Amino acid sequence: MSVTFGIYIGCSSCCIAVNKDGKFEVVANAAGDRVTPAVVAFHDVEVVTGISAKQGIIRHGTNTVQNVLRVVGTVEDEGMCPSNSSCPPNWENGQARYSVQRGEKMVQVSAEEVLTHIFSLLKEIASAHTSEPELPLVIAVPAWSSEGTIMAVKKAAKKATFTVLATVSQPAAAVLAYALTDDNKRNMQVVVLHCGGTTVVGSVVEVAGGLVTVKESITSSTVAGDSLTSVLVQHFAKEFYTKYKGDPLENRRSRRKLYNAAENCKHVLSTMGTAQVYVESLWEGVDFSTTLSRARFDGIVTATLTAFLQSAKEAVQRCGLTENQIQKVILTGGSAKIPRLQQLVGDAFPQAEFLCSVPPDEVLAAGASTEAALLVGQPKPASTSSSMVPALATSVFCMVLGSENSECVFSRGTPTHSRQSLNLALPSPIPTSCSVVIYEAEEATKQPQEESILVQVDVTSLTSDSKLLKADFHLKSDGSLHVALQEPEAKINRTFIIEAGRS
């Protein structure tokens, strides 16, 4: 078996990596994303998994299962499932189940069956990267996983036709991803801080003579990525009330719309300097539009981010160590991409080397695939376990001529195979036509130089009801930039491609 796979399965998301000839690569799903939501929606005649299921929560919330890993393998309610879940679990004969509407019938679906649907989606991704019928797999599981949870995860993966070689804990997978076990000459103390959607896990790992020992792990559910989103929701709700004297949190639908917008804003600000937030018909037909800078975002969430560090600090203390005795720090999980959190972690462990060459939300899958390669006897690469990824040398911006601001599409250093969506404000009063300019520069400008303009596109047939242009960007692996412009009121839908050689 020359190809092996590693999967990280968490409460809110999952990720798969393939290892060929001792080198790992985190692979994308059908939507082009390397991280897939661990969400499953049950409809009348079909089951939808991943991003499509997550996007349909507003309409199909009562039939959409989230956070299944928290309850799979448990025999009774341990109070770990969010109380505001639209599709809560119930326990029957020592097994967690969900009640979902399928057609005219209400049926019971086991947590294990939900998990199998997630692994089946990952199996489709894996099959595209090998011609072999056998799919050897190592699964990275959260540090808090019980024996029951691990057994249920392995069983679900086997039902999806994976060949499960082993499971590996979160902290150990992070260490394997950075090949820290290759150094046999010295012992090192490593802090692994996992910042997921529902939990924050701080661990201390000792690496000695090529052996990995997880000395301590502390899990906190009081703060996590969802906590940051909730803080943003409260901020936007307050801003909306100030403008329109209405409370968008008074009903579940508008609250979910605002939550989705806040979550997207959080992800954008992990890589961009500003994020534009737009929610159509948020409350009684009123649209909500605002812009949030990273500096303002940092001010809003710093207190919550500071609490993220408590589990790691407590784990260090329980091991009888001090912060200055930590040699390496590894961050994992989607929330770990936030620059302000990375700065706080660096300040907390001043003597430690901060390892961040692998994206935090991909580290655990990469480590699991490395373990799988070792188990089947793949040779180690002569170089490091990470690989070079093409990236932008200059930032790319987009603006509507006549408007005041340029929006950053991709910042310098953004890797290929990236996506971005922007809502471009139209000049006031609304014109019947406008020009959209996409240009490259070190920083935004109101008047880009002619030689820096990648493309200028004229958009016609705008109406007085037109408000925003929605622009979707996809930076392909070959360096080309695929752009789609949409304006629903005027039924505008234009697509074009900027070839790689243009930039």
Side-chain angles (χ1 to χ4, degrees), residues 154-178:
K154 293 171 70 174
K155 188 175 180 180
K158 289 176 181 177
K159 282 186 177 180
T161 70
F162 280 107
T163 301
V164 181
L165 303 176
T167 60
V168 62
S169 70
Q170 232 170 33
V175 168
L176 289 167
Y178 284 99

Side-chain angles (χ1 to χ4, degrees), residues 25-27 58 63 91 104 116 130 149 176 188 193 196 202 224-225 229 375 408 443 448:
E25 179 189 3
V26 177
V27 293
I58 294 176
N63 280 2
W91 277 259
E104 297 180 354
T116 301
T130 181
T149 300
L176 289 167
M188 67 180 79
L193 181 61
T229 307
L375 290 176
C408 182
E443 57 184 22

Side-chain angles (χ1 to χ4, degrees), residues 8 10-15 34-36 54 170 193-201 224-226 228-229 263-271 297 305 308 330-342 358-365:
Y8 170 67
C11 290
S12 54
S13 64
C14 52
C15 185
R34 293 186 180 94
V35 178
T36 301
K54 185 175 181 179
Q170 232 170 33
L193 181 61
H194 177 76
C195 305
T198 60
T199 57
V200 172
V201 183
D226 288 348
L228 300 174
T229 307
E263 190 171 44
N264 183 64
C265 174
K266 179 182 69 176
H267 291 311
V268 170
L269 290 174
S270 295
T271 55
F297 171 74
L305 290 176
F308 276 43
I330 303 173
L331 290 183
T332 68
S335 299
K337 294 191 291 186
I338 298 174
R340 178 57 177 161
L341 176 60
Q342 295 178 0
V358 182
D361 51 357
E362 301 174 10
V363 169
L364 300 176

Side-chain angles (χ1 to χ4, degrees), residues 36-101:
T36 301
V39 182
V40 179
F42 293 87
H43 299 319
D44 291 350
V45 295
E46 66 175 346
V47 179
V48 180
T49 308
I51 185 65
S52 299
K54 185 175 181 179
Q55 291 173 341
I57 288 179
I58 294 176
R59 289 182 299 169
H60 307 290
T62 55
N63 280 2
T64 303
V65 179
Q66 304 178 79
N67 301 313
V68 66
L69 198 66
R70 269 297 185 186
V71 299
V72 71
T74 60
V75 296
E76 60 183 5
D77 188 357
E78 298 175 356
M80 302 306 294
C81 188
S83 58
N84 60 350
S85 174
S86 301
C87 185
N90 54 77
W91 277 259
E92 183 178 326
N93 299 324
Q95 189 177 37
R97 297 180 180 274
Y98 296 88
S99 299
V100 295
Q101 187 81 32

